[in-house]
Amino acid sequence: QVYTSFNDRKLQDTERMFRKFPAAMKVAYIDEKDKNEFAEFDRLHGEQKKRYFSGLIDRSCQMDGHRRKPRLEVELPGYTILGDGKGDNQNHA
């Protein structure tokens, strides 16, 4: 769930796993972005500081620098960690 905060070593390890398991390896992760000018139009809660997304990558996703661009990206309704600590992205992955 923390792919966007991986350091170079973890990114290299992830790429090695993509090469070793090309058909089966997929990574679901949570990304957060600052609100933009459409936040009021999209009816985001006034106290919500960021927008949260669940992303899915696999080996076929194009590289964007050292990271892969998500194949799928779904905006989540708010902060992603619920009562027991399970991320919402696990539910849709």
Side-chain angles (χ1 to χ4, degrees):
Q1 292 185 17
V2 292
Y3 176 75
T4 55
S5 63
F6 277 5
N7 60 25
D8 287 341
R9 171 66 190 239
K10 289 183 180 180
L11 287 170
Q12 290 171 0
D13 291 344
T14 304
E15 289 303 313
R16 188 171 341 150
M17 291 177 70
F18 279 139
R19 285 191 301 274
K20 188 168 183 164
F21 308 106
M25 176 74 176
K26 294 182 178 18
V27 175
Y29 65 94
I30 295 173
D31 193 9
E32 58 183 46
K33 299 175 184 173
D34 290 328
K35 285 202 250 186
N36 58 22
E37 65 273 9
F38 301 110
E40 186 175 328
F41 177 74
D42 291 342
R43 298 182 183 200
L44 290 182
H45 190 277
E47 297 294 317
Q48 185 174 330
K49 305 288 187 233
K50 298 192 178 277
R51 299 179 92 138
Y52 300 94
F53 297 86
S54 180
L56 181 68
I57 59 172
D58 60 18
R59 187 174 179 192
S60 68
C61 294
Q62 293 186 4
M63 296 296 288
D64 184 17
H66 295 293
R67 300 182 196 290
R68 293 188 178 269
K69 290 183 180 180
R71 169 184 284 221
L72 300 170
E73 192 172 60
V74 176
E75 185 167 4
L76 300 170
Y79 185 64
T80 57
I81 305 300
L82 303 175
D84 62 356
K86 180 177 179 183
D88 270 353
N89 75 320
Q90 292 177 351
N91 294 328
H92 105 291

